[in-house]
Amino acid sequence: MTTQILGRSRTNLHLHKNLSFLLGYLVSKSTATSSSSSFQSGGVPFVKCRHAPPPYASSLLGNNSATRLCFWRSESTKAEAQLDLQHYVSEDEDEQVIDFPGGKVAFTPEMTFMAESGQKRVPCYRVLDNNGEPVTFSNYVQVSKEMAVKMYSTMITLQTMDNIFYEVQRQGRISFYLTSAGEEAVNIASAAALSSDDIILPQYREPGVLMWRGFTPQQFADQLFGNTNDFGKGRQMPIHYGSKKHNYLTVSSPIATQLPQAVGAAYSLKMEGKSACAVTYCGDGSTSEGDFHAALNFAAVMEAPVVFICRNNGWAISTPVEQQFRSDGIVVKGQAYGIRSIRVDGNDALAVYSAVHTAREMAIREKRPVLIEALTYRVGHHSTSDDSTKYRPVDEIEYWKMARNPVNRFKRWVERNGWWSEKDELELRSRVREQLLQAIKAAEKEQKPPLEDMFNDVYDQLPSNLKEQERELRETMKKHPSDYPSDVPL
């Protein structure tokens, strides 16, 4: 097909809006039929279109011999529908569209730079307001009474576990801990929206996801104390949970390494034809790592069914987001890599549940990655090694802790539905606290893994260099027994 505007007048050719409308008219889909008889006018050949040109065509293109309109009717409506600006050329300008690898790109004579950001920030999807009232006209995935009660109960369990284990660390009984305070909705609501077949690649602030899948208070305690019942045999730092049974890959300390790994896991699910996806979590600080960008590009190009959930909690330890990036948060970074993305209120459990539930369906059904940016707030310190009051105002922390508390917001909605009472609250908190205290006592009494477990489980046959390391360590421990734990079996 060819569509040409022949002329020397730049003034006429640069009337882009009117010209685009005219071209759209010329190639418009029409059911009218007429013969494509040719005729001559002023020595320039024309091919008659289905309809006469609009009345302003003469004034737009001119009637002199220097400016002529030539358009061709395809032999079928299907072919005609494929007519585009690729063939729109002028005598003294290059083609107006370049068919470049990756897609056609239109030319423009105007030098225009893309704005560094939009005039308005990307809106944030939510369902419940701060008082737990559904927002007018909000659309969300319905949650049953059973699901809602379990979600709220698990939030309380996570909250209670964090408070107790934080104090245990402060007492010197475990070496390290961090809480999910302020981010309980992201943890529990996202977990509730997933299937047990989905593979989870967490960061380190997602214990609620593992809790939802059935990891017990005793198993949490065993990992924190690093005893013989710990699946990692005491070789990981506390809070570095993992469970093959629950499709929850072990937490890794280096930031963002789980993201490209999640894409690989998702691609394997796609190749095997499984109705499941990979789900990986990260904080806003992880988006400053190269692994984040590599993972998004990898996922988009390979069309891997992976859901990226970024907890934008405002702070990467002591670094605020405004010192990390100038973009409009995280959600626009997904669009830059060609990934469908959404920004959601991370303190609204119903919004998180709905967004993750829908994202999972899209990832599996359409074999595509999805990015979710959850705007939440880390109420607690980054970890027991941090004092967040040194870099952010206390009144800011208190505001998010009280006025924007995700657990309290969801509680109001559950209570308003008649699904929860104060009696239920007291019984749950008392029961969970007792279970955790008993788990801690049992974990402390368990023996530590033997020294040899530091070296096994990597190679089928222990190499000579590791044998040498083990021998030297045993000799050193015998010479300096006071420098090493006395409860580690030799």
Side-chain angles (χ1 to χ4, degrees):
M1 294 178 266
T2 58
T3 298
Q4 295 182 329
I5 302 297
L6 302 178
R8 302 180 183 277
S9 172
R10 289 181 178 273
T11 302
N12 286 336
L13 288 172
H14 291 171
L15 295 176
H16 293 295
K17 292 183 179 179
N18 290 336
L19 184 55
S20 296
F21 187 88
L22 174 61
L23 290 171
Y25 170 83
L26 297 178
V27 298
S28 63
K29 298 179 182 178
S30 173
T31 56
T33 58
S34 63
S35 62
S36 53
S37 59
S38 300
F39 65 95
Q40 297 286 331
S41 178
V44 179
F46 279 76
V47 179
K48 190 174 182 180
C49 190
R50 294 166 178 253
H51 307 286
Y56 59 78
S58 297
S59 61
L60 177 63
L61 297 172
N63 291 316
N64 56 44
S65 60
T67 304
R68 290 288 184 265
L69 174 66
C70 171
F71 48 99
W72 176 75
R73 176 185 180 272
S74 68
E75 293 304 318
S76 69
T77 56
K78 180 179 180 181
E80 184 175 11
Q82 295 173 347
L83 188 61
D84 54 36
L85 293 180
Q86 180 185 0
H87 303 95
Y88 164 39
V89 299
S90 66
E91 285 184 344
D92 50 3
E93 291 189 42
D94 294 330
E95 291 188 2
Q96 301 303 298
V97 172
I98 179 173
D99 192 2
F100 194 77
K104 296 176 182 177
V105 181
F107 286 116
T108 175
E110 300 177 6
M111 182 172 63
T112 304
F113 291 84
M114 294 178 63
E116 62 274 15
S117 61
Q119 293 181 349
K120 294 183 179 180
R121 297 197 67 180
V122 175
C124 183
Y125 166 65
R126 73 169 180 170
V127 175
L128 301 177
D129 63 19
N130 292 338
N131 296 316
E133 291 276 4
V135 178
T136 306
F137 303 122
S138 61
N139 63 314
Y140 61 98
V141 179
Q142 295 296 321
V143 176
S144 65
K145 174 183 177 181
E146 180 182 9
M147 175 67 79
V149 170
K150 183 180 178 182
M151 287 171 62
Y152 180 69
S153 299
T154 312
M155 285 186 195
I156 294 299
T157 303
L158 176 61
Q159 195 178 67
T160 305
M161 183 180 79
D162 277 348
N163 292 336
I164 291 177
F165 282 134
Y166 190 88
E167 292 302 319
V168 168
Q169 192 282 333
R170 285 294 186 245
Q171 295 167 4
R173 296 158 75 181
I174 59 177
S175 62
F176 180 81
Y177 195 74
L178 56 77
T179 72
S180 302
E183 302 177 51
E184 295 91 346
V186 177
N187 262 252
I188 306 306
S190 64
L194 301 173
S195 165
S196 59
D197 293 330
D198 297 328
I199 300 175
I200 305 297
L201 291 92
Q203 192 177 23
Y204 42 61
R205 217 177 294 275
E206 285 77 39
V209 179
L210 186 55
M211 180 181 288
W212 178 269
R213 294 193 163 201
F215 211 65
T216 67
Q218 188 62 62
Q219 289 172 322
F220 280 110
D222 289 337
Q223 197 283 327
L224 294 172
F225 281 92
N227 59 36
T228 53
N229 294 326
D230 171 25
F231 295 149
K233 298 185 177 181
R235 294 176 292 203
Q236 286 275 16
M237 285 177 61
I239 65 91
H240 287 56
Y241 312 108
S243 173
K244 181 179 180 181
K245 175 183 177 182
H246 298 102
N247 269 340
Y248 190 96
L249 274 67
T250 302
V251 175
S252 181
S253 289
I255 298 297
T257 55
Q258 74 278 8
L259 302 180
Q261 296 167 359
V263 181
Y267 192 70
S268 71
L269 293 173
K270 174 182 176 180
M271 296 298 290
E272 294 172 0
K274 293 186 177 180
S275 181
C277 66
V279 182
T280 185
Y281 296 78
C282 69
D284 50 275
S286 295
T287 68
S288 297
E289 295 284 341
D291 280 346
F292 172 82
H293 300 275
L296 262 61
N297 191 57
F298 183 24
V301 172
M302 301 304 294
E303 298 182 328
V306 54
V307 178
F308 298 95
I309 302 178
C310 178
R311 296 173 284 93
N312 185 350
N313 59 25
W315 298 86
I317 306 184
S318 60
T319 304
V321 291
E322 57 265 24
Q323 293 182 16
Q324 287 194 68
F325 42 73
R326 292 293 299 274
S327 63
D328 180 12
I330 315 301
V331 65
V332 294
K333 299 182 180 182
Q335 185 180 34
Y337 285 103
I339 293 179
R340 190 172 294 173
S341 308
I342 186 173
R343 172 174 285 162
V344 61
D345 184 349
N347 286 10
D348 178 354
L350 283 186
V352 173
Y353 176 86
S354 299
V356 176
H357 185 279
T358 306
R360 178 185 182 273
E361 287 186 342
M362 288 190 295
I364 296 174
R365 183 180 64 251
E366 302 177 31
K367 297 294 185 293
R368 67 161 66 237
V370 182
L371 172 65
I372 298 174
E373 178 190 16
L375 297 183
T376 181
Y377 189 86
R378 171 170 55 82
V379 170
H381 305 300
H382 176 75
S383 71
T384 50
S385 302
D386 172 51
D387 181 1
S388 62
T389 62
K390 300 296 184 182
Y391 53 80
R392 58 183 184 177
V394 175
D395 57 351
E396 175 182 300
I397 300 173
E398 286 301 310
Y399 166 74
W400 283 93
K401 183 177 181 180
M402 304 305 296
R404 304 296 300 274
N405 189 292
V407 181
N408 294 344
R409 189 194 301 191
F410 192 61
K411 177 184 179 182
R412 296 188 189 103
W413 181 76
V414 176
E415 286 181 330
R416 191 172 290 110
N417 288 329
W419 297 342
W420 195 255
S421 66
E422 197 60 35
K423 179 182 178 182
D424 296 325
E425 183 90 6
L426 293 173
E427 290 179 352
L428 174 64
R429 289 185 179 274
S430 177
R431 182 172 68 254
V432 170
R433 179 178 177 80
E434 182 61 29
Q435 289 176 347
L436 287 164
L437 293 177
Q438 290 297 326
I440 291 170
K441 290 180 181 180
E444 282 185 309
K445 293 179 180 179
E446 285 293 333
Q447 192 177 43
K448 298 294 184 182
L451 185 65
E452 63 185 22
D453 279 355
M454 288 184 63
F455 303 94
N456 58 25
D457 293 339
V458 178
Y459 300 95
D460 181 42
Q461 298 292 329
L462 199 65
S464 58
N465 64 315
L466 290 185
K467 290 180 179 179
E468 180 66 16
Q469 288 181 30
E470 181 179 356
R471 184 187 63 78
E472 291 180 354
L473 178 59
R474 291 181 182 277
E475 291 177 354
T476 304
M477 291 179 68
K478 289 179 180 179
K479 292 180 181 178
H480 308 282
S482 61
D483 294 338
Y484 293 90
S486 59
D487 56 350
V488 177
L490 298 179

